[in-house]
Amino acid sequence: MSVDHFWCRLPGQAVDTCSPEQLGELVPRRRDVRYDRLAAAGLALGVRQTPVLMELALTENGLHPDPTARLPVYGGTRREPGTDMPVLRPEQVAAAFLFLRDSALGELVRQQDTVLARTVAELDYPTPWSESWAARVVGDLRELRDFFAGAAAAGDAVVVREAE
């Protein structure tokens, strides 16, 4: 199970001026040279295997009833029903960043240890939940926080895509 999950920064106005197809062309579908260039410029971020775990760490068990907790990983608005790419407008990007900045990410992962272990087992990941997994999820959440910090500072929108 090696699903990639991507976030891509775009100028805020691109959300209104691009069609869903055009947005799709701007966001990586897989890790490749194009993704590497965008990531090196701070315009894209990708994770493998951890997005479901990241989402659960941020939202499970009512620790964060604020809907902002759902924005960073799978949040945003789908431009058209049935499309697979949620879009976070600049104000949502700023809210997601503030949420991530103000959250004790390591503590959130630790508090969800049982839920995350059960999820790893249910999804048939190749190794069971462990300290190594926890460190990876925390690391990915910190990278996501830093990615959103740059996007919020620039007034960018963010498009989210799971690998096809």
Side-chain angles (χ1 to χ4, degrees):
M1 168 171 263
S2 181
V3 173
D4 286 342
H5 194 83
F6 298 103
W7 295 264
C8 188
R9 288 173 46 184
L10 302 170
Q13 67 273 15
V15 174
D16 296 319
T17 60
C18 290
S19 70
E21 294 78 24
Q22 290 169 320
L23 283 176
E25 291 305 313
L26 296 172
V27 181
R29 286 183 172 82
R30 62 188 171 285
R31 291 177 188 256
D32 57 13
V33 173
R34 183 171 156 237
Y35 167 78
D36 292 341
R37 283 193 308 263
L38 290 168
L43 299 175
L45 176 68
V47 297
R48 285 192 172 112
Q49 297 182 321
T50 60
V52 169
L53 305 175
M54 293 165 68
E55 172 82 356
L56 288 172
L58 295 177
T59 63
E60 190 62 22
N61 292 334
L63 288 176
H64 291 289
D66 181 346
T68 306
R70 298 206 179 275
L71 287 176
V73 181
Y74 293 111
T77 305
R78 286 170 175 30
R79 288 270 308 265
E80 292 184 9
T83 61
D84 66 341
M85 294 189 322
V87 176
L88 286 88
R89 295 186 156 287
E91 61 275 8
Q92 292 173 306
V93 170
F97 164 63
L98 292 175
F99 172 79
L100 291 167
R101 182 196 69 191
D102 295 342
S103 295
L105 301 174
E107 182 64 17
L108 291 178
V109 171
R110 189 192 65 69
Q111 289 173 346
Q112 299 307 323
D113 193 65
T114 302
V115 171
L116 297 172
R118 184 175 57 241
T119 302
V120 165
E122 288 171 357
L123 294 176
D124 290 327
Y125 282 103
T127 59
W129 181 252
S130 64
E131 286 297 315
S132 174
W133 264 109
R136 186 170 166 199
V137 172
V138 171
D140 285 348
L141 284 168
R142 288 180 178 150
E143 283 188 57
L144 186 61
R145 177 196 59 208
D146 296 346
F147 175 81
F148 271 94
D156 285 347
V158 170
V159 180
V160 183
R161 169 182 261 160
E162 287 190 62
E164 297 174 343

